[in-house]
């Protein structure tokens, strides 16, 4: 396994979408070119429900565009209807500006062109998820599928508003599973146990659904890879997109709707980012007043000590701190995991019951 250190959040800022829209609408010089007309009745050709066209027809009415307008400018992203009574899901980074600045507005645009102001019900930067609410009832929600049942090679469809182009549909496959992705800045990092896809995901797709052949949401599109050496903070699709699995979305969205807050599981250790040996090392020193091993925390109660090396979690090798963090965050508080730990030259399996921390 490996971590993806170079990702950019799939959010578009500024007026790129408007510029593209105006240019796309200017070319009308072919309308009198004497080209053949469409055959009568061709538009009525039926599409199978499991075809990309059939999937898109079922999903598009429930996908929204989101515009956030504030002192830092205008940014756009995507989202989708979670509940008929007006609850929507998107990425935290799409609406973070609105949560941090009172003068910022959030407007949601539906497929029919209608616009509604939205309020933030709750958000978490740890999982890069947010729930919005619009005062509209009778919406058509998308069904959250089982991301645990997804396998590499499954066909998928991504829907959203890349570069502000609402209602855009792209298709591909699941390229990899359990891809450890960390995205965002140093002080506000999301750790995602991601579904990787080659479906085109671009800035503005953030928060939109990644659906399976049945039109069920198996992930929320969140980040794209950035080639090594690229200095720009805004990239485009290179066939490496990442989505938050739907099982994580389900758990976190329920928490946000019920309490406005989300929690995440912890084992109670600090990891040494400088360590480059086999596995992941528990820090040997406290950091900024935080103990390397939390007293009476899950790791402490299980006998893990400063300087121990964690080699695997539930039989899955880990070679980077982010891999371990992501693997733990994909669980739920109270769940038990098995860590393979080395102390000096001795190795052992350690069972740990995950504790709970409140997400930002």
């Amino acid at each position: 396994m490996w971590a993806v250190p170079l990702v950019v959040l799939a959010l578009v800022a500024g007026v790129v979408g408007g510029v593209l829209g105006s240019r796309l609408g200017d070319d009308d010089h072919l309308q009198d070119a004497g080209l053949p007309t469409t055959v009568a009745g061709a538009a009525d050709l039926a599409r199978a429900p499991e075809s990309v066209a059939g999937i898109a027809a079922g999903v598009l009415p429930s996908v929204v565009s989101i515009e956030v307008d504030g002192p830092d400018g205008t940014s756009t992203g995507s989202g989708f209807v979670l509940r008929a009574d007006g609850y929507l899901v998107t990425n935290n980074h799409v609406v973070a500006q609105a949560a941090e600045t009172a003068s910022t507005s959030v407007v949601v645009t539906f497929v029919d062109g209608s616009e509604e102001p939205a309020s933030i019900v709750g958000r978490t930067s740890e999982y890069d998820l947010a729930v919005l609410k619009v005062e509209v009832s009778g919406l058509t929600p998308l069904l959250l599928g089982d991301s645990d049942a997804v396998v590499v090679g499954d066909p998928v469809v991504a829907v959203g508003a890349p570069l502000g182009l609402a209602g855009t549909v792209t298709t591909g496959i699941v390229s990899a599973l359990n891809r450890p992705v960390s995205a965002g800045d140093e002080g506000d990092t999301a750790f995602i146990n991601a579904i990787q896809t080659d479906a085109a995901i671009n800035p503005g797709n953030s928060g939109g659904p990644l659906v399976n052949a049945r039109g069920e949401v198996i992930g929320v599109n969140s980040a794209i890879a950035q080639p090594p050496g690229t200095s720009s903070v805004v990239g485009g699709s290179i066939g490496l997109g990442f989505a938050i699995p739907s099982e994580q979305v389900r758990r976190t969205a329920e928490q946000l709707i019920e309490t406005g807050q989300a929690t995440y599981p912890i084992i109670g250790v600090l990891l040494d980012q400088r360590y480059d040996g086999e596995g992941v090392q528990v820090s040997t020193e406290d950091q900024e007043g935080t103990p390397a091993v939390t007293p009476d925390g899950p790791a402490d109660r299980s006998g893990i000590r400063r300087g121990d090396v964690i080699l695997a979690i539930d039989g899955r090798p880990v070679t980077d701190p982010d891999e371990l963090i992501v693997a733990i965050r994909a669980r739920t508080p109270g769940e038990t995991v098995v860590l393979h730990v080395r102390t000096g030259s001795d190795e052992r399996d350690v069972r740990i019951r995950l504790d709970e921390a409140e997400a930002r």
Side-chain angles (χ1 to χ4, degrees), residues 102-255:
S103 60
T104 302
S105 64
V106 180
V107 176
V108 170
T109 303
F110 293 88
V111 68
D112 62 0
S114 61
E115 297 182 352
E116 293 289 338
S119 59
I120 300 174
V121 175
R123 66 188 187 99
T124 167
S125 60
E126 271 81 5
Y127 290 119
D128 195 21
L129 289 169
V131 173
L132 306 181
K133 182 71 164 61
V134 293
E135 296 306 317
V136 180
S137 59
L139 299 176
T140 302
L142 292 182
L143 179 66
L144 292 179
D146 182 4
S147 55
D148 292 340
V150 172
V151 299
V152 173
D154 277 350
V156 290
V157 174
V159 186
L163 303 180
L165 300 175
T168 296
V169 175
T170 57
T171 186
I173 63 168
V174 173
S175 304
L177 296 170
N178 300 314
R179 189 68 83 195
V181 172
S182 56
D185 56 43
E186 185 175 345
D188 207 18
T189 303
F191 294 95
I192 304 169
N193 191 42
I195 296 172
Q196 181 182 320
T197 180
D198 66 349
I201 295 174
N202 288 285
N205 270 119
S206 279
L210 184 71
V211 303
N212 61 18
R214 293 186 294 274
E216 300 167 341
V217 178
I218 58 154
V220 172
N221 301 316
S222 300
I224 53 180
Q226 186 171 326
T230 303
S231 59
S232 173
V233 296
V234 177
S237 173
I238 58 172
L240 293 170
F242 305 98
I244 304 167
S246 57
E247 289 303 311
Q248 183 63 64
V249 176
R250 190 193 317 275
R251 290 194 296 268
T252 302
E254 286 176 355
Q255 286 185 320

Side-chain angles (χ1 to χ4, degrees), residues 10-325:
L11 172 73
V12 61
V15 295
V16 176
V19 172
L20 287 177
S22 64
R23 293 192 62 183
L24 290 172
D26 286 341
D27 190 3
D28 59 359
H29 66 280
L30 292 178
Q31 57 185 332
D32 295 320
L35 299 178
T37 58
T38 303
V39 177
D44 299 327
L45 182 64
R47 268 68 173 181
E50 68 273 12
S51 68
V52 174
I55 295 168
V59 172
L60 278 167
S62 303
V63 178
V64 301
S65 301
I66 300 171
E67 183 174 292
V68 179
D69 195 1
D72 293 335
T74 299
S75 59
T76 65
S78 307
F80 62 91
V81 178
L82 181 66
R83 288 185 6 185
D85 54 353
Y87 287 96
L88 313 173
V89 168
T90 187
N91 283 139
N92 172 64
H93 72 262
V94 170
V95 298
Q97 180 185 181
E100 295 162 0
T101 309
S103 60
T104 302
S105 64
V106 180
V107 176
V108 170
T109 303
F110 293 88
V111 68
D112 62 0
S114 61
E115 297 182 352
E116 293 289 338
S119 59
I120 300 174
V121 175
R123 66 188 187 99
T124 167
S125 60
E126 271 81 5
Y127 290 119
D128 195 21
L129 289 169
V131 173
L132 306 181
K133 182 71 164 61
V134 293
E135 296 306 317
V136 180
S137 59
L139 299 176
T140 302
L142 292 182
L143 179 66
L144 292 179
D146 182 4
S147 55
D148 292 340
V150 172
V151 299
V152 173
D154 277 350
V156 290
V157 174
V159 186
L163 303 180
L165 300 175
T168 296
V169 175
T170 57
T171 186
I173 63 168
V174 173
S175 304
L177 296 170
N178 300 314
R179 189 68 83 195
V181 172
S182 56
D185 56 43
E186 185 175 345
D188 207 18
T189 303
F191 294 95
I192 304 169
N193 191 42
I195 296 172
Q196 181 182 320
T197 180
D198 66 349
I201 295 174
N202 288 285
N205 270 119
S206 279
L210 184 71
V211 303
N212 61 18
R214 293 186 294 274
E216 300 167 341
V217 178
I218 58 154
V220 172
N221 301 316
S222 300
I224 53 180
Q226 186 171 326
T230 303
S231 59
S232 173
V233 296
V234 177
S237 173
I238 58 172
L240 293 170
F242 305 98
I244 304 167
S246 57
E247 289 303 311
Q248 183 63 64
V249 176
R250 190 193 317 275
R251 290 194 296 268
T252 302
E254 286 176 355
Q255 286 185 320
L256 293 176
I257 291 172
E258 290 175 4
T259 68
Q261 300 288 329
T263 62
Y264 62 95
I266 58 172
I267 62 172
V269 299
L270 297 177
L271 302 178
D272 189 347
Q273 300 287 339
R274 301 163 299 178
Y275 175 77
D276 58 3
E278 182 184 12
V280 178
Q281 187 177 50
V282 177
S283 179
T284 58
E285 302 174 350
D286 297 347
Q287 298 177 21
E288 298 180 355
T290 302
V293 179
T294 303
D296 199 34
D300 185 36
R301 292 193 296 268
S302 299
I304 292 178
R305 298 293 177 256
R306 298 167 182 254
D308 281 356
V309 175
I310 300 171
L311 300 171
I313 176 171
D314 290 337
R316 231 170 89 190
V318 290
T319 59
D320 181 272
D322 284 358
E323 290 183 34
L324 181 60
I325 294 171

